[in-house]
Amino acid sequence: MLEKVLVAGGGVLGSQIALQNAVHSKTVTIYDISAEALAGAKKHIAAFKEQLIKDTGKDANEVQQQVDAIKYEVDLAAAVKGVDLVIEAVPESFEIKKDIWTKLSDAADAQTIFVTNTSTMLPSKIAAVVDRPAKFIAMHFANLVWAHNTAEIMAHAGTDPELPAQIHDFAKSIGLVPIMIKKEHASYLLNNMFNPFLTDGLSLWYNGIADYQTIDKVWMIDLESQAGPFGLIDIVGLRTMINVLKATGDRKSVV
Ligand code: NAD
């Protein structure tokens, strides 16, 4: 059973992942690069907690106790000690991911399983820098994890054949719907459809075809949607959006 979880990177997604694990009774630690970054993670969690309670109807006192139990750590070796599973959610830059996975490989116990939440990179690319490629797999969470509760699970050729099933069961244990990808494919299922939608919206604005409010409006009215591409970019976060565009090369002269 995977009970002790370390979330590496407490930004937009890492804080949500930590919260989702905590409210499903996992023992959770968040690692980030500085006390300031951890203070940011706490702020994210305080805000996302309210949204989670509203969306799921969970008991506010119980959620508060589970949130209070989350530990915060700036010392990576201390953070990863005794952990069953590491979920990495650092920025979508290979250099940053390479750096943290190298350090995690040195510091983690031999049995600890490694998961990346990368949006665009193939797991095999990151597996090449870890000391235990057989225990390495990608598990992609969607923004607003408790509500958009899919977990896209993608192994690489060197993944232990039993690991996808284990991660499938872990995903279910934290209230997610496991989505099993048959083979490595950049950007999984959702982002293969979602990213072109965002970049097409950006391209319309960049080329002066319409202002961004109008672009969002037509989408929201005609597809009965709560947000258009620009509203969704606000939720994704600009830093991640730019990193995704750079990584995929899907820029259409926008950034
Ligand atoms: P973010 O920029 O909001 O947060 C990244 C966090 O990582 C920050 O707290 C930062 O301080 C920390 N960090 C930076 N360098 C670090 C290091 N060396 N070690 C540990 N922590 C470090 O980014 P995000 O949007 O949360 O994205 C994180 C990952 O999740 C990316 O791989 C992204 O592609 C993926 N993802 C994002 C979304 C989304 O909608 N934002 C959705 C699914 C997956």
Side-chain angles (χ1 to χ4, degrees):
M1 289 289 279
L2 303 172
E3 297 299 337
K4 289 188 181 164
V5 177
L6 171 66
V7 180
V12 173
L13 251 283
S15 58
Q16 295 181 28
I17 293 167
L19 178 61
Q20 183 73 8
N21 275 276
V23 300
H24 287 85
S25 304
K26 302 292 180 185
T27 302
V28 181
T29 302
I30 299 179
Y31 162 79
D32 212 310
I33 44 174
S34 63
E36 197 184 12
L38 286 176
K42 275 186 197 165
K43 268 193 192 162
H44 275 309
I45 286 183
F48 287 133
K49 177 197 74 182
E50 299 303 326
Q51 181 79 37
L52 177 143
I53 291 167
K54 200 168 140 217
D55 291 343
T56 64
K58 282 186 186 288
D59 179 75
N61 288 331
E62 195 181 339
V63 170
Q64 187 58 53
Q65 281 176 18
Q66 290 162 324
V67 163
D68 289 343
I70 297 174
K71 291 180 218 111
Y72 296 83
E73 191 50 82
V74 283
D75 179 338
L76 188 59
V80 78
K81 198 169 168 22
V83 155
D84 300 318
L85 178 71
V86 175
I87 304 175
E88 169 268 306
V90 304
E92 190 72 359
S93 142
F94 182 64
E95 287 316 307
I96 296 176
K97 294 211 189 275
K98 186 178 166 189
D99 180 60
I100 190 158
W101 279 118
T102 305
K103 289 176 179 153
L104 282 164
S105 294
D106 288 344
D109 300 338
Q111 72 277 9
T112 302
I113 291 168
F114 286 171
V115 161
T116 179
N117 182 46
T118 179
S119 297
T120 59
M121 291 169 221
L122 294 179
S124 54
K125 182 169 176 177
I126 304 172
V129 304
V130 304
D131 67 335
R132 62 197 76 188
K135 290 191 168 71
F136 184 85
I137 193 163
M139 177 185 190
H140 189 247
F141 296 75
N143 209 324
L144 304 185
V145 169
W146 52 92
H148 307 155
N149 62 334
T150 55
E152 294 189 76
I153 297 167
M154 184 160 67
H156 64 98
T159 300
D160 179 341
E162 291 182 9
L163 187 56
Q166 200 179 354
I167 297 301
H168 169 283
D169 293 351
F170 169 75
K172 285 186 85 167
S173 79
I174 58 166
L176 303 183
V177 179
I179 305 289
M180 307 308 286
I181 312 280
K182 288 184 180 174
K183 57 183 178 182
E184 272 199 304
H185 187 66
S187 304
Y188 312 80
L189 304 185
L190 178 65
N191 280 341
N192 265 285
M193 300 180 273
F194 186 53
N195 289 344
F197 160 65
L198 298 184
T199 50
D200 282 349
L202 281 167
S203 177
L204 287 167
W205 165 77
Y206 182 80
N207 289 302
I209 312 301
D211 58 42
Y212 68 86
Q213 295 94 334
T214 306
I215 295 166
D216 271 7
K217 191 196 284 181
V218 69
W219 185 270
M220 289 161 70
I221 293 173
D222 290 342
L223 289 168
E224 297 181 33
S225 177
Q226 288 180 359
F230 291 90
L232 289 164
I233 288 167
D234 280 344
I235 295 171
V236 169
L238 277 182
R239 175 163 50 178
T240 292
M241 186 67 211
I242 289 169
N243 284 337
V244 166
L245 292 171
K246 283 180 179 162
T248 57
D250 189 10
R251 285 189 250 175
K252 301 199 175 161
S253 329
V254 181
V255 289

